Amino acid sequence: MLHTKLRAVSEAQARLESLRRMLTLGAPAEHEYLRVTRLAQKLFNVSITYVSVLDGQTQYLMSPLGMAPMAIPCEQSLCQHVVKGKQRIVCEDASQDERFTALPSVLGAPGIRFYAAQPIHNAEGHVIGALCIADTQPRILSDEEALWLEDLTYLLEATIALRYLSFSHEKALVFASTAGREAMTDALTNVFNRRGIIDMANHAYARCIHENRGFSLALVDLDHFKAINDEFGHLVGDEVLKEAAHRIQRTLRGGDIIGRWGGEEFLVALPGSSPSVLQDVGNKLVQVVGGPVIVGESKVQLSASVGLVGVGTAKEVFDEVAWLEAADQALYMAKERGRAQAVVYSSAPG
C-alpha cells in the first residue's frame, strides 16, 4: 500500500514538472486555444466551452466562452476528476451528480448542468487538463458527439506537441554546444552517459505514448570484462569498450538510443519496438558484439550477455527503477545460463 502511494506521488510530481515546462517554455498562445473553444461551441451548440489546465493547486480557464477567464482552487473544479481518472467524463446533469453538486459553478453562476470533458495530454504524455463543453440545461452527449470531442482534443494536443517540438529543437541546439554535449556524453566511448541516456529515453518514451507505439529496453553486459582488464590491462580494456559501443551502434535503427550505463554495461532504448521482436533484437546484439577485438598486438575474444524488457506505454512516466530492474533480472538469467546469449523478461514489469 505504501509503495502504491509513493508511486502515485511520484507520478503526480512528474506531471506537475512536465506541466511547468510546458507552461513556461512551450504553451500554445491564447488565440490557439480560442480557435478550439469557438469551434466546440458551434459544433455542440452549447453555451459554455473552455480549456482547463490544472497544476497541483489551481485550475486555469483558458479561452473560455460563456464564462469569464479565472483561476480557481482544484477542489472546486469539475475537471479535477478528469485529471485524476485520466479519461473522458460525461455528466448529463451536474446537479444530480454527487461529485459536482456542491461545486460553486453548479450551485451558483453560471449554473452548469450538462458537462463533458476530454482529457488533454501534453507532448510528454501527461494529462494536464481537459477540453470542456457545458450548458445550463441537462442534455446527453451522443456517441457521434463524443467522437467529435475526442477529435477536437486531438487537434489541441497536436498544437501543444508542435510547441513542445519547437522547444525540443532549441534544446537540441543547446545540447549540440560543447558544454551540453560533454555533460551528457561518456568521454571514453562517445555514446550517451547515464544521465544522457535516461534523459533521451524519457523523451523517446513520451513520443511513444503520444504516437501509441511500443517501447523496450536492453541491457548489454560484456562477459568476463574484469578478466580482460586483468590479463591485458586497462588501456586494452578501454579500447574493447570503445569497440563494443561501436558494434552496438551498428545494429541499431535510426531512432534507437545507446548509453553507457556504467562499467562494462550499456543501456539501449528501443522506441517503437514490440515484444515479439525482442528476442531477435537481443540475439543480433549478442552476435554483433561478440568476436575478436584486435588492440595492437593483443587479441581479445569478446562476448556479451543481453537482458531485454518490453514495457509498452501504459504508464504516464518513464519508470526507470522498475524497468531497469526487470532488464537486469533478464540479464542475470542470461549470465546464469552460460553467458553470450539474450533473455527477454517474461512478465510485465512494475
Side-chain angles (χ1 to χ4, degrees), residues 112-321:
I112 289 176
R113 293 299 177 263
F114 167 73
Y115 168 77
Q118 183 76 26
I120 298 170
H121 299 79
N122 70 359
E124 295 181 354
H126 297 283
V127 177
I128 58 168
L131 174 59
C132 307
I133 58 174
D135 215 328
T136 56
Q137 299 296 323
R139 57 162 287 186
I140 63 171
L141 187 76
S142 70
D143 291 342
E144 184 178 31
E145 287 176 322
L147 288 175
W148 294 347
L149 185 60
E150 187 175 324
D151 289 343
L152 276 179
T153 306
Y154 179 82
L155 293 176
L156 187 56
E157 289 175 340
T159 300
I160 292 171
L162 285 173
R163 287 281 180 161
Y164 178 85
L165 289 173
S166 176
F167 163 65
S168 296
H169 177 67
E170 293 175 9
K171 183 177 179 180
L173 292 177
V174 172
F175 172 74
S177 69
T178 301
R181 185 168 60 250
E182 288 180 352
M184 298 180 71
T185 302
D186 178 63
L188 176 65
T189 60
N190 205 34
V191 299
F192 286 113
N193 58 20
R194 181 184 284 245
R195 170 189 166 187
I197 182 64
I198 288 299
D199 186 61
M200 299 306 291
N202 266 284
H203 286 290
Y205 182 72
R207 287 196 301 272
C208 286
I209 290 177
H210 193 70
E211 297 166 3
N212 195 27
R213 301 165 65 219
F215 189 88
S216 303
L217 295 170
L219 265 180
V220 182
D221 185 270
L222 306 186
D223 296 328
H224 304 296
F225 187 73
K226 183 179 183 300
I228 293 174
N229 273 336
D230 290 344
E231 180 177 353
F232 298 98
H234 288 278
L235 291 179
V236 171
D238 286 350
E239 294 303 315
V240 170
L241 284 170
K242 292 179 188 178
E243 177 62 19
H246 178 65
R247 291 180 181 183
I248 293 171
Q249 285 178 302
R250 290 208 318 259
T251 71
L252 302 183
R253 305 163 302 167
D256 296 337
I257 310 161
I258 175 179
R260 187 178 176 194
W261 191 241
E264 66 273 23
E265 279 190 340
F266 296 89
L267 176 63
V268 181
L270 303 162
S273 57
S274 63
S276 61
V277 303
L278 288 188
Q279 189 64 58
D280 289 340
V281 171
N283 292 342
K284 185 178 180 183
L285 283 167
V286 170
Q287 179 183 3
V288 171
V289 174
V293 179
I294 307 299
V295 183
E297 297 181 356
S298 300
K299 182 178 180 180
V300 180
Q301 189 61 39
L302 182 62
S303 68
S305 301
V306 183
L308 303 99
V309 57
V311 301
T313 52
K315 293 193 175 184
E316 284 195 0
V317 293
F318 184 81
D319 195 341
E320 173 189 341
V321 175

Side-chain angles (χ1 to χ4, degrees), residues 334-347:
K335 297 281 190 182
E336 285 290 294
R337 294 176 184 178
R339 295 181 168 83
Q341 58 187 283
V343 171
V344 178
Y345 189 78
S346 58
S347 60

